[in-house]
Amino acid sequence: MKKLFGLLTIFTMFLLGACGSATLEGEQSDESEKVAEISPDEMTIGLSISTLNNPFFGQLQEGVEDKAEENGTTVRTVDAQDDTATQINGIDDLIQQGVDVLLINPVDSDAITPAIESANAAGIPVITLDRSSEGGEVVTLIASDNVQGGEMAAEHIVELVGEKAKVVQLEGTPGASAANERGEGFNNVANEKLDVVDSQSANFSRSEGLTVMENLLQSNSDIDAVFAQNDEMALGAIEAIEAAGLEDIVVIGFDGNEDALAQIEEGRLDATVAQQPYEMGSLAVQAAYDYVSG
């Protein structure tokens, strides 16, 4: 059984635009514009999630809803099911319903731009969660430092199996900023200290993580480690590795989901880079309150 290595923890940040900048420690600059004030119990928040099939985003939704319920705020949620067209249609519906603020977790950071521009045209402030947008005006992004998280994963692999170890990477959904940033951070370290023999997308999906890992093992059965850009793909990779009868391949995920923590306790998963999705959802609602209160 593998040794329990525990969590690699990164922190959630506010990345604010016109409102200045803030962190979990509460430092924030003065606001630069005035907005129409709305009390929390008069607000309706529209929440667009990339997919609720991933438990990470279920926790994020829970954080939004609990914070809103505490303050009498209505939340209307639409699930994009990992499809950009579905997400844009869902956001259009929320705009037509006249929500006061939009919280958006984009499927694709570039393709989401038209939806955000539609919200801008309707005068609805937009806050993005976990993933950024390449266009449109956004009040704030609330996310983890994904670059740092990718670097931490690569450094931990070096600690466990040594420099120049053979590694494969399971990438997230193409176009998602989180996937780009985690890959950037991982490669910052891996390009100097590891031998990355292959890197392929499994779209943040457990089932695709299993399939892609099966294919990778056919030509890379002598690898030492796997970095999966989320826990769902990591858990799929573990299934493929075990089905192939292979042992001693280090697997590191990203998110800190409950399933991943359970697999760490069982010794099947070596580590995960832990985020705080519930806190991210709660912070997004608080950012909305701060914005509409001026």
Side-chain angles (χ1 to χ4, degrees):
M1 179 176 289
K2 295 177 180 178
K3 181 180 177 182
L4 173 61
F5 291 106
L7 303 179
L8 312 173
T9 305
I10 51 178
F11 297 97
T12 305
M13 309 178 299
F14 281 114
L15 302 176
L16 297 182
C19 289
S21 60
T23 69
L24 280 175
E25 286 69 38
E27 299 172 359
Q28 182 166 332
S29 63
D30 294 336
E31 69 272 11
S32 60
E33 61 181 52
K34 298 296 181 182
V35 298
E37 296 188 15
I38 309 171
S39 64
D41 59 359
E42 296 175 327
M43 284 180 63
T44 297
I45 291 176
L47 173 63
S48 174
I49 297 284
S50 60
T51 175
L52 288 174
N53 287 330
N54 185 329
F56 176 88
F57 296 116
Q59 292 178 49
L60 189 149
Q61 178 191 27
E62 185 178 353
V64 168
E65 292 179 343
D66 285 355
K67 183 69 171 181
E69 184 177 357
E70 289 176 9
N71 294 277
T73 302
T74 299
V75 178
R76 296 174 182 167
T77 302
V78 291
D79 179 3
Q81 301 175 3
D82 263 338
D83 181 77
T84 295
T86 300
Q87 182 161 49
I88 290 174
N89 289 337
I91 291 172
D92 285 343
D93 288 343
L94 292 172
I95 292 172
Q96 294 302 316
Q97 292 170 29
V99 298
D100 298 300
V101 177
L102 274 167
L103 309 183
I104 300 177
N105 161 238
V107 173
D108 185 303
S109 297
D110 185 52
I112 197 63
T113 297
I116 292 179
E117 290 176 341
S118 294
N120 297 156
I124 300 173
V126 175
I127 294 170
T128 51
L129 296 90
D130 186 55
R131 305 172 184 174
S132 62
S133 170
E134 293 298 322
E137 295 181 10
V138 174
V139 172
T140 178
L141 162 66
I142 298 178
S144 301
D145 187 335
N146 286 298
V147 174
Q148 180 195 28
E151 291 172 346
M152 291 169 68
E155 291 286 6
H156 199 56
I157 289 175
V158 173
E159 291 175 13
L160 298 183
V161 295
E163 292 195 12
K164 305 307 178 185
K166 292 185 177 181
V167 181
V168 297
Q169 178 179 207
L170 297 182
E171 302 172 356
T173 304
S177 63
N180 296 338
E181 292 162 4
R182 291 170 196 179
E184 176 187 347
F186 179 75
N187 290 329
N188 285 345
V189 175
N191 287 344
E192 294 185 3
K193 297 183 179 181
L194 297 168
D195 179 11
V196 182
V197 297
D198 211 334
S199 186
Q200 295 184 23
S201 171
N203 290 306
F204 288 132
S205 164
R206 187 181 304 199
S207 61
E208 291 190 46
L210 168 61
T211 301
V212 172
M213 194 68 219
E214 287 175 338
N215 295 334
L216 287 171
L217 288 173
Q218 291 181 8
S219 54
N220 301 285
S221 60
D222 60 342
I223 61 170
D224 300 299
V226 178
F227 169 53
Q229 291 182 357
N230 81 340
D231 288 335
E232 289 294 286
M233 295 187 296
L235 297 177
I238 289 171
E239 293 182 35
I241 291 167
E242 292 179 346
L246 298 173
E247 298 179 356
D248 299 324
I249 295 178
V250 167
V251 180
I252 294 181
F254 202 115
D255 280 344
N257 289 345
E258 289 184 7
D259 283 355
L261 301 183
Q263 295 309 308
I264 289 175
E265 291 182 358
E266 291 186 16
R268 297 177 71 216
L269 179 66
D270 292 282
T272 181
V273 181
Q275 301 194 81
Q276 303 174 66
Y278 183 91
E279 185 71 9
M280 290 166 67
S282 180
L283 284 170
V285 177
Q286 185 60 56
Y289 293 157
D290 291 346
Y291 184 78
V292 299
S293 69

